[in-house]
Amino acid sequence: MKRFLGFMFFLILFLNSCSNNQTYNDIESVESKISKELDIRQVSVFGLKDIEEYRFIGYKYNNSHGYAVFSQNENGDYNFDCVTKADKMIPRALDIKIHYYGDYWIAVINNNNLKTISFTIDDEETFDIEITDYPSICVIKLPYEDYFETAEYNFYDSEGVLIKWHPFF
């Protein structure tokens, strides 16, 4: 009986350690997970955007920035999906980098001159996003994953001067 109980105890410990049920609902656990994934000592979160079942996190480390994605499970907790460093993102202007995650357009911004992103879809719908914090993360949900082919975005400073324009290819 003792052997059986001992076996069950170790089996439970083993199964518990193998399960991927770790949740990341607070900033400290998010920072710890990103640090571990990047194999760096410390990161700090500078922005958080919840869109549908995803939580997009802007983070900084050393002199660089990036983003991480966490998805919400059926219990309302967040599980880790991915982390992306700035060097894996597309530079679009000084200290403005973009990336795509499925049907989401993500900009990580550390350019204090950027005040507005003007986003146009299908040459019809245009909307402006005001940037007030630096660094900052901006996330736009596109209608579907390849929608970027018909979208354009522009970056403007506080005077309305174009910083950088780039049509999606």
Side-chain angles (χ1 to χ4, degrees), residues 18-160:
C18 290
S19 68
N20 192 14
N21 291 333
Q22 176 71 39
T23 59
Y24 304 94
N25 297 326
D26 60 87
I27 297 300
E28 292 79 22
S29 65
V30 165
E31 289 175 338
S32 176
K33 178 61 175 174
I34 295 170
S35 294
K36 182 178 177 182
E37 289 296 317
L38 297 175
D39 195 27
I40 58 176
R41 203 168 140 206
Q42 183 178 3
V43 302
S44 61
V45 168
F46 62 75
L48 180 148
K49 302 285 185 193
D50 288 335
I51 301 177
E52 295 179 344
E53 72 273 12
Y54 294 106
R55 175 166 283 175
F56 297 88
I57 304 284
Y59 67 87
K60 60 184 175 178
Y61 64 99
N62 301 336
N63 291 325
S64 195
H65 301 80
Y67 77 92
V69 180
F70 295 79
S71 59
Q72 194 172 36
N73 64 27
E74 61 279 349
N75 298 325
D77 295 320
Y78 287 92
N79 300 316
F80 174 76
D81 280 356
C82 73
V83 65
T84 302
K85 294 169 83 172
D87 62 350
K88 301 295 182 193
M89 299 175 74
I90 304 164
R92 287 294 176 236
L94 181 62
D95 290 328
I96 303 170
K97 306 233 176 165
I98 65 163
H99 204 250
Y100 311 98
Y101 181 80
D103 52 354
Y104 293 91
W105 179 87
I106 302 163
V108 176
I109 303 151
N110 195 33
N111 183 328
N112 294 353
N113 294 321
L114 177 63
K115 298 299 178 202
T116 305
I117 300 173
S118 180
F119 205 90
T120 305
I121 298 175
D122 282 339
D123 292 326
E124 296 173 8
E125 180 184 352
T126 298
F127 54 94
D128 292 339
I129 302 149
E130 297 297 319
I131 306 300
T132 58
D133 299 317
Y134 307 95
S136 183
I137 183 169
C138 177
V139 181
I140 297 172
K141 173 130 173 49
L142 300 172
Y144 52 87
E145 193 167 335
D146 293 330
Y147 208 70
F148 60 84
E149 294 174 1
T150 61
E152 296 177 354
Y153 58 91
N154 296 299
F155 301 125
Y156 296 97
D157 66 14
S158 60
E159 305 295 317

